[in-house]
Every structure is written in C-alpha cells, then in structure tokens.
C-alpha cells in the first residue's frame, strides 16, 4: 500500500493506494478556507494550516481506506514545484513517517502527479499521449511516453487559472475565478468582445495570458459601472472563451504534431465546461481518445501523487534523510 501526501499549495491531502498506483482506496482533501478573504493564497498562512491539519488528514485517509499504518509499504510525497514552506510541511511529515516505520520514500513532482490522475480515471490509458496541465499555478503541455514526460510548451507569464482568477476579480466576481466566470457567463455571447489569443503562430505550443488581462483592463476602463453590469455576461463569456480557445488550440496542435492517439486534460481548469465541450467535439471528430479525470482528481489531491509514485524512482530507507529544502 502507498500512503501519499500532498501539501504544495492550499490543499492538505493524503491518500491510500494499491501498489500499482492505479486504484485509490481513499483520497482526503482539506481545502484551506483561510485564504478566501485575501483573494489568493498566502504562503505563510498555507504552511501553518498544513501543519495544523496534516496529521488528522493522514489519519482520516488510513481510516477511510480501512488500512492500518503497519500495512503501508511506501510513502509518496510531493517535493516540487510549489510553495516552499507548504512543501516542507508535507515532506517533513512524510520523512518522519517513513523513517519511524523504516519505509522507503518516493519524492514526486506535482506536475507528474497531475498527469498521473488520468491513470486513476482510465484504467486502460497507457502512453503515448499528450497532456495539458492547467491550474491556478501551472499551464503546460507534455508529451508522455514510456520513458517519461517531455515538456512541449508552457505559459510565459500567468497560468490559465490565474488569468481566469484575475479576470474574475476585475469583473467584481468571486474567488476562485474560474467557476465564478463560468456562472457569470451564462447566457452571454462569447463572440461579443474580441479578446486576444496570444502566440498563434504555427508550431508554437507556449501560452501567454498577460495581454488578455490587459485587454480586459482597458475594455473595462472604457466602460462605466452600469455598462459593465449590463454587459457582464458577454464580458465574462468572451474572456472565458479567449482562455478556452488558447488552451484547446495549443493542445490539439500538440496532439497533431506528435501524432498522439490520446489526450489528457487535468488541473483545476479541466473542470471548465466550455473547454470540455470543445475538446470532446474535436477529439470525436479526429478519432482521438480524450481523458479528463473527474474534478476531484483534477484539482490538487494526494491520490494523483500516489499514482505518479508508481512510475517514480524510490529512495530507500533511510537515504531520504538527506532530502532537504535545497533538493526541493
Ligand atoms: O488545480 P487547482 O485546484 O489548484 C492549483 O492551482 O494547483 O486549480 C485551481 C484553478 C483556479 O484558478 C480556478 O479558477 C480554476 O482552477 N478552476 C476553473 C474551474 N474550476 C476551477 N477554471 C475554469 N472553470 C472551472 N469550472
Ligand atoms: Zn496543482
């Protein structure tokens, strides 16, 4: 049994998986609410909240799975990328647990974890495929083969989720911005305003969302409050459409360039309904398999870290004691 721990941002997570990493017996996520009043994640607050919650979350993951700690054979933990203080809480807990029980440790990359969520969602999925990870902190496309993950393109500035969050904030909507924008966009016309999609040149698989944000800012500056209120659904729909267009354009282009038989989409933004709709239609037309895990596996969770652990080198007991903030 694998015990997996994830604390890279604002979710305190633990899960129990079978040794293949393709089946999760429990997947406990405690989402920190402390950040809501700041409109974004405060790193120091996140670290302290992980410290307070992690023990309880691990206990619950064991209890939900009905697995006693003595049956755990491996401890997997997110080591990068993420908030350094937040990562250290999870890593320290994982090292302590592994050392106390003389278990090996598996240090997992958070983005490999996001992609591995697809292995839990689809038992038949196997490389090769292309994968999009789109969250509040990351936007990247990978080619996944038997030998690992290869970065094909990534954002040069903001992540897609961040662009949605900032756009929602400019429009006076709530946090997180993705779902708030989608709600405000209902009944709106996505083609009413022409917001830009950057880096459209052929073969370019990178993203940029800063111009989109600026474009919304100037559009809003040219309108009065009443105008914004009246046009809110069109503004939200058009802004959301620009993000969805950029993501789907680059992802489908990557699939074509790499002749991929399957596409995986994960990260919090994968919950976006218009994005799912476009990709479903296009993949059906192209005869490409599409795997979008359920949203509880797309957002940060520890089951995906356990799934990634199955393909990540193991550090034997007690060699991982040397793993520290610098190796993160
Ligand atoms: O993966 P995630 O939960 O956390 C990390 O950033 O690691 O992703 C959060 C992001 C936020 O920016 C949020 O606005 C976005 O995912 N998001 C959505 C939706 N649900 C969450 N974006 C678009 N549509 C949604 N339904
Ligand atoms: Zn994430």
């Amino acid at each position: 049994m694998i015990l997996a721990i994830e604390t890279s941002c604002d979710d305190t997570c633990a899960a129990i998986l079978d040794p293949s990493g393709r089946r999760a017996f429990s997947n406990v996520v405690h989402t920190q609410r402390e950040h809501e009043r700041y409109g974004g994640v405060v790193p120091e607050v996140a670290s302290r909240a992980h410290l307070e919650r992690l023990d309880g979350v691990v206990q619950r993951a064991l209890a939900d799975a009905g697995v006693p700690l003595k049956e755990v054979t491996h401890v997997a933990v997110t080591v990068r990328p993420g908030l350094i203080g937040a990562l250290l809480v999870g890593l320290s807990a994982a090292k302590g647990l592994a050392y106390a029980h003389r278990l090996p440790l598996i240090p997992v990359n958070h983005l490999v974890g996001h992609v591995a969520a697809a292995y839990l969602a689809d038992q038949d999925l196997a490389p090769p495929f292309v994968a999009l990870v789109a969250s509040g902190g990351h936007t990247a496309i990978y080619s996944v083969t038997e030998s690992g993950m290869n970065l094909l393109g990534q954002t040069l500035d903001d992540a897609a989720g961040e662009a949605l969050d900032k756009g929602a904030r400019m429009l006076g909507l709530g946090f997180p911005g993705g779902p708030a924008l989608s709600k405000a966009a209902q009944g709106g016309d996505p083609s009413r305003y022409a917001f830009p999609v950057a880096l459209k040149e052929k073969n370019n698989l990178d993203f940029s969302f800063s111009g989109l944000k600026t474009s919304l800012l100037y559009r809003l500056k040219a309108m009065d409050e009443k105008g914004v209120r009246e046009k809110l659904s069109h503004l939200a729909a058009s802004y959301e459409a620009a993000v969805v267009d950029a993501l789907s354009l680059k992802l489908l282009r990557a699939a074509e360039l790499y002749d991929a038989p399957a596409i995986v989409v994960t990260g919090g933004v994968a919950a976006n309904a218009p994005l799912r709709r476009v990709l479903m239609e296009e993949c059906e037309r192209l005869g490409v398999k599409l795997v979008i895990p359920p949203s509880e596996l797309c957002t940060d969770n520890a089951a995906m870290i356990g799934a990634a652990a199955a393909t990540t080198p193991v550090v034997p007991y007690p060699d991982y004691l040397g793993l520290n903030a610098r190796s993160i």
Side-chain angles (χ1 to χ4, degrees), residues 62-94:
L62 289 162
D64 283 4
V67 170
L69 190 53
K70 65 175 177 353
E71 280 181 26
V72 170
T73 55
H74 294 79
V75 179
V77 62
T78 307
V79 289
R80 76 176 76 82
L83 303 173
I84 189 78
L87 287 166
L88 273 172
V89 175
L91 176 61
S92 304

Side-chain angles (χ1 to χ4, degrees), residues 38-67:
Y38 302 108
V41 178
V42 182
E44 177 64 13
V45 172
S47 311
R48 285 174 189 272
H50 285 309
L51 205 53
E52 282 163 16
R53 295 283 174 169
L54 186 55
D55 272 353
V57 167
V58 168
Q59 293 304 332
R60 215 166 81 225
L62 289 162
D64 283 4
V67 170

Side-chain angles (χ1 to χ4, degrees), residues 8-11 110 114 134-138 159-165 175-182 240 266-274 298-300:
S8 66
C9 190
D10 60 342
D11 295 303
H110 181 78
H114 268 302
S135 70
H138 311 281
E162 197 181 346
L164 292 169
D165 292 341
F175 176 83
L181 262 178
S182 280
E240 182 184 43
T266 177
V269 180
N272 184 264
C298 280
T299 53
D300 287 352

Side-chain angles (χ1 to χ4, degrees), residues 247-269:
L247 295 175
S248 53
L249 174 79
K250 299 300 172 95
L251 181 56
L252 292 165
R253 186 176 284 171
E256 189 191 335
L257 286 171
Y258 287 78
D259 204 14
I263 287 178
V264 164
V265 187
T266 177
V269 180

Side-chain angles (χ1 to χ4, degrees), residues 112-168:
V112 177
H114 268 302
V115 172
Y119 293 127
L120 292 166
D122 185 322
Q123 299 293 320
D124 301 325
L125 180 69
F129 55 85
V130 293
L132 167 70
V133 180
S135 70
H138 311 281
T139 302
I141 296 179
Y142 299 92
S143 148
V144 181
T145 64
E146 289 291 352
S147 52
M149 269 169 54
N150 198 5
L151 181 67
L152 302 181
Q154 62 185 329
T155 183
L156 305 181
D157 39 57
D158 292 344
E162 197 181 346
L164 292 169
D165 292 341
K166 299 262 169 69

